[in-house]
Amino acid sequence: MKKFIMAFATVMALFSTAAMAQGTLWFGGKAGFQKPHGSDNEPGFGVGAVLGGPIQGNLSWEAEFMLGVVDGEVGTNRDWNINSVAGYGVYRSPGDIHVKAKLGVSRWDDDLDDDFNLTAGIGLGFKMGRGILDVEYTQINPYVDYVTVGYILPF
């Protein structure tokens, strides 16, 4: 857990310096199901934090930290949990309701293994007030999917 917090803090520090130079940064939270592949497996539940900023046009970056807070189950009676840190390049289509696509790298650790992986996600974003509500599907590694809802605000 300590290595995840340190990795997330490092990613946030690197990305936030570039975003501060552009004058815009956003922060938010997310929560959702963490589902290991397989019909005998039950999803866990995670909460997380997101830090992001613009790159150019509809492109942006996001750093994400997800922490498993409710264990899922793998197989018949084995509890399972996953934590992850990821950095993404993100594309959002124009409009108040838009498509979000992201591609990046994740560092994840579950009760069975840990590794770095290429990770990708797709979702819908809804501009609400000053922020954006995101509903996303993300494949964090070849064996686990996240389905999350999050809200980000500029600061």
Side-chain angles (χ1 to χ4, degrees):
M1 176 63 114
K2 186 177 177 182
K3 62 184 171 185
F4 282 104
I5 293 171
M6 292 301 295
F8 185 66
T10 302
V11 168
M12 286 177 56
L14 291 173
F15 283 143
S16 64
T17 304
M20 292 290 210
Q22 294 181 0
T24 305
L25 197 61
W26 55 75
F27 181 77
K30 60 176 22 184
F33 294 101
Q34 301 169 314
K35 174 73 168 91
H37 294 182
S39 59
D40 293 340
N41 301 332
E42 295 297 321
F45 190 81
V47 296
V50 179
L51 179 71
I55 296 174
Q56 182 176 358
N58 293 339
L59 296 178
S60 61
W61 62 268
E62 288 184 2
E64 173 185 287
F65 175 68
M66 286 292 290
L67 179 64
V69 293
V70 176
D71 289 351
E73 193 172 284
V74 175
T76 53
N77 287 322
R78 184 172 182 168
D79 285 343
W80 172 89
N81 196 334
I82 187 167
N83 301 313
S84 63
V85 175
Y88 299 101
V90 179
Y91 171 79
R92 290 179 188 273
S93 64
D96 289 343
I97 299 174
H98 55 268
V99 173
K100 176 183 179 180
K102 62 184 185 177
L103 181 65
V105 177
S106 66
R107 168 77 170 126
W108 56 270
D109 183 16
D110 65 22
D111 295 331
L112 307 173
D113 199 4
D114 63 277
D115 204 356
F116 286 91
N117 279 100
L118 185 63
T119 182
I122 191 160
L124 288 176
F126 305 89
K127 289 187 180 173
M128 298 178 70
R130 290 184 48 230
I132 299 173
L133 178 75
D134 285 325
V135 179
E136 299 177 53
Y137 163 83
T138 304
Q139 186 171 16
I140 200 71
N141 67 36
Y143 314 106
V144 179
D145 302 329
Y146 290 173
V147 178
T148 58
V149 175
Y151 190 73
I152 57 174
L153 282 166
F155 69 95

